[in-house]
Amino acid sequence: MQSSDLPQTEKDKFTASSSNMEEIEQARASRFGKDIDVESQSDYRTSFAIVQKLQSKILESLTSQQDRGLCCIYRVPYSIRNIKPKAYTPQLISIGPIHHGINSGLEGMEKQKVIYYKEFTERPYMDEEKIGNLVRRIQKKEDVIRASYLMDLTGINSPDFIQMIFLDAVFIIEFLQDSNDDRGPKTLEPWMIFEIREDLMLLENQLPFFVIQEIYDEVNSARQESESLPLLNVAAIHFGKYTFSKENQTDSSFEKISHFTDLLRQFMLCGANTRRFDFNHPIKLKYSAVMLREAGVKFQATEDKCLVNITFKKGVLKIPPLEVDYSFERLVRNIMALEQCHKPFEAHICNYIKFMDQLIDSAEDVELLVKSKIILHRLGDDATFSDMINKLCEKVGDTYTCYDDICKEMNAHYENPWNSIIATLHLVYFPNVWRGTGTFAAAVLLILTFMQTVKAFL
């Protein structure tokens, strides 16, 4: 987007300002003439040049702000990326311009892209004319595609950029269709399928969704098959190892999808209850799961598939089950990075992870939640899970929350001494029928003994 695309009022404003400065300088020189010594004239010209540069920066800033309105794919901020760089970096394949040609370890898959492209062109419903039409579609939207990335792409010329985007889009479409086939991709090793799926989740490794969508729809149209699955369904099947995407793949409530990272976020939030964010005085949960249990809080797993639908009523904390494997951390880190960059005021996943971080301080807290069937993890031991969840929120701000009402109620419940007394009686003296009966009998016996002793002295 060029500066000429700025609103006319903004351009006129700064152009007029620049013109006025020049007129002022000319009038000043004409009016004072010889009264202005050489040094003063030099100082004035310097100050005028500085003002001109600042006005130019304002114009550049306005242009940048307009371009940012189209932006949806970001480099992960250094402060976040530096905590665990591997979580944000593709390990096998580069998609889009951010990692293109940078990592020599990804070059091998460029040949695989060409193999997929060759298969694509050899399909009976594709010919040179149709392929040319697909390329022209990308060419017409090159400016919009470039504006989707928050980075300087001036170093990539137009033909190279279009070729890169087209080749990556064709690869993704062919790979999704092959990997969803019962026989699997014919030209990829099984371990490569897993690695590519992981790389396609990364925020820095994305194509705008509309690019893939348009090519996919055009290819299906050329096939003339009425039963072709929509791209959303194909992607959902591909990423369907996550429980939150299995039952929501046809949900029509999705917002405009920016890319695969955004799609996975929307899968996680599908069916989310509306919650109000507090930006003024966010309240944190002060007490861990074990401490809350000692104050009588009960933990219950719900059947809700949406992770963020947490409730607390009458001393019962209800949380949807969270299933975690070794891929979970990488996925969540990238979704959290997307929220930090693109949806800072709708950071539902960040707030969910923050809440779980506050609830979990140690392996004992994880053990309690595992026994309550709220957490199911395959990380080896509870301490590993605790360490992972506690590190996810590093460098994520605490300036707002959507769970302030729940945290406030839970803090108050813990701080009520009566709840702790009741909980202690229940946990220590009445945990089951037999111990409760024994405790009651011992109390009765103690009272009777005391009465007998008193009677003996009367």
Side-chain angles (χ1 to χ4, degrees):
M1 188 175 294
Q2 305 297 322
S3 60
S4 58
D5 296 329
L6 289 169
Q8 194 62 33
T9 54
E10 296 291 341
K11 287 205 305 178
D12 290 347
K13 178 168 136 183
F14 290 104
T15 302
S17 176
S18 177
S19 177
N20 288 342
M21 288 297 294
E22 292 176 0
E23 290 175 2
I24 291 170
E25 183 182 24
Q26 291 172 0
R28 177 182 171 89
S30 173
R31 180 178 176 184
F32 295 102
K34 297 178 181 178
D35 292 338
I36 303 176
D37 56 31
V38 175
E39 185 177 354
S40 296
Q41 290 181 17
S42 175
D43 290 346
Y44 186 78
R45 280 194 294 270
T46 300
S47 64
F48 177 75
I50 291 172
V51 172
Q52 289 289 85
K53 286 182 179 180
L54 289 172
Q55 288 177 327
S56 176
K57 287 184 179 294
I58 291 173
L59 284 168
E60 290 174 6
S61 174
L62 289 171
T63 302
S64 174
Q65 288 174 16
Q66 285 204 335
D67 286 347
R68 189 170 179 123
L70 299 172
C71 180
C72 60
I73 302 171
Y74 304 79
R75 287 187 183 277
V76 176
Y78 177 79
S79 60
I80 297 175
R81 161 181 269 283
N82 195 45
I83 296 169
K84 198 164 189 177
K86 190 175 180 180
Y88 308 101
T89 306
Q91 301 300 303
L92 185 62
I93 187 168
S94 168
I95 298 293
I98 295 180
H99 291 276
H100 183 74
I102 295 177
N103 188 342
S104 59
L106 307 178
E107 290 179 359
M109 284 303 297
E110 295 302 309
K111 296 179 181 178
Q112 187 63 46
K113 291 179 186 179
V114 175
I115 293 173
Y116 264 132
Y117 175 71
K118 180 176 179 292
E119 294 179 358
F120 177 78
T121 60
E122 291 174 348
R123 299 192 185 280
Y125 47 82
M126 296 305 297
D127 55 34
E128 189 172 330
E129 182 182 354
K130 287 187 175 68
I131 293 171
N133 288 336
L134 293 175
V135 172
R136 281 189 287 275
R137 278 178 171 270
I138 293 177
Q139 189 175 12
K140 288 178 181 178
K141 295 192 174 180
E142 180 183 358
D143 289 344
V144 178
I145 297 171
R146 284 178 178 268
S148 299
Y149 295 89
L150 189 63
M151 63 178 295
D152 183 8
L153 296 174
T154 55
I156 308 178
N157 62 42
S158 182
D160 288 347
F161 183 81
I162 293 169
Q163 176 181 309
M164 174 189 65
I165 297 297
F166 181 60
L167 200 61
D168 286 354
V170 168
F171 172 82
I172 289 172
I173 291 169
E174 292 291 300
F175 173 72
L176 290 180
Q177 291 178 330
D178 272 7
S179 61
N180 290 342
D181 190 287
D182 292 337
R183 295 168 294 180
K186 308 175 189 64
T187 58
L188 296 174
E189 298 293 331
W191 68 268
M192 297 173 72
I193 299 171
F194 173 80
E195 290 293 343
I196 293 171
R197 179 189 290 124
E198 296 287 292
D199 285 347
L200 290 181
M201 299 187 306
L202 308 183
L203 177 58
E204 296 183 349
N205 213 38
Q206 297 297 319
L207 291 185
F209 192 81
F210 75 84
V211 174
I212 308 170
Q213 181 78 68
E214 288 192 13
I215 295 177
Y216 181 84
D217 290 345
E218 190 68 23
V219 170
N220 280 343
S221 176
R223 277 182 186 167
Q224 297 181 342
E225 294 181 5
S226 58
E227 297 183 359
S228 297
L229 283 173
L231 178 60
L232 176 63
N233 296 61
V234 174
I237 295 170
H238 176 72
F239 293 113
K241 61 176 272 188
Y242 301 102
T243 56
F244 46 75
S245 68
K246 285 180 179 176
E247 298 183 4
N248 300 323
Q249 60 195 43
T250 59
D251 196 299
S252 59
S253 64
F254 288 112
E255 299 175 0
K256 180 182 177 182
I257 300 166
S258 300
H259 41 70
F260 285 149
T261 311
D262 179 49
L263 175 63
L264 287 164
R265 176 181 177 271
Q266 293 199 45
F267 276 138
M268 292 183 80
L269 294 177
C270 192
N273 298 329
T274 302
R275 296 198 65 85
R276 181 184 62 84
F277 279 82
D278 189 337
F279 297 93
N280 296 320
H281 305 288
I283 299 172
K284 298 179 183 179
L285 181 62
K286 300 177 184 178
Y287 310 104
S288 68
V290 170
M291 296 173 71
L292 289 165
R293 181 187 60 177
E294 292 171 355
V297 173
K298 296 178 181 178
F299 299 85
Q300 181 178 324
T302 69
E303 296 182 0
D304 199 320
K305 290 293 181 182
C306 184
L307 295 177
V308 302
N309 288 344
I310 299 171
T311 61
F312 181 71
K313 292 180 181 179
K314 298 179 179 180
V316 180
L317 180 63
K318 296 182 179 181
I319 305 177
L322 172 62
E323 188 173 346
V324 174
D325 59 14
Y326 286 100
S327 300
F328 178 81
E329 180 179 2
R330 201 175 185 207
L331 168 66
V332 169
R333 280 190 177 279
N334 280 272
I335 291 177
M336 291 175 71
L338 171 64
E339 289 190 338
Q340 293 290 293
C341 295
H342 194 60
K343 293 181 177 290
F345 302 114
E346 300 175 43
H348 295 279
I349 303 303
C350 288
N351 273 266
Y352 168 79
I353 295 297
K354 271 193 245 179
F355 181 86
M356 296 300 290
D357 176 35
Q358 293 162 9
L359 193 63
I360 296 170
D361 280 342
S362 65
E364 288 73 22
D365 297 309
V366 178
E367 181 183 8
L368 172 58
L369 297 177
V370 168
K371 288 180 178 178
S372 302
K373 298 183 179 180
I374 290 173
I375 290 175
L376 171 63
H377 73 84
R378 305 180 186 89
L379 303 185
D381 57 68
D382 295 339
T384 301
F385 183 95
S386 174
D387 184 62
M388 182 269 291
I389 208 79
N390 292 152
K391 288 181 178 178
L392 281 174
C393 287
E394 285 186 42
K395 304 299 181 181
V396 176
D398 292 324
T399 55
Y400 56 90
T401 177
C402 62
Y403 295 114
D404 58 324
D405 55 333
I406 292 177
C407 293
K408 183 178 180 179
E409 290 179 29
M410 292 176 69
N411 290 338
H413 184 99
Y414 180 87
E415 291 162 3
N416 184 338
W418 181 246
N419 289 327
S420 296
I421 294 171
I422 296 299
T424 300
L425 288 173
H426 176 75
L427 291 171
V428 177
Y429 299 106
F430 298 93
N432 55 56
V433 174
W434 296 110
R435 180 174 292 185
T437 302
T439 300
F440 179 76
V444 171
L445 181 61
L446 182 63
I447 292 171
L448 291 175
T449 302
F450 177 75
M451 291 176 63
Q452 187 68 28
T453 302
V454 172
K455 185 176 180 181
F457 284 99
L458 294 178

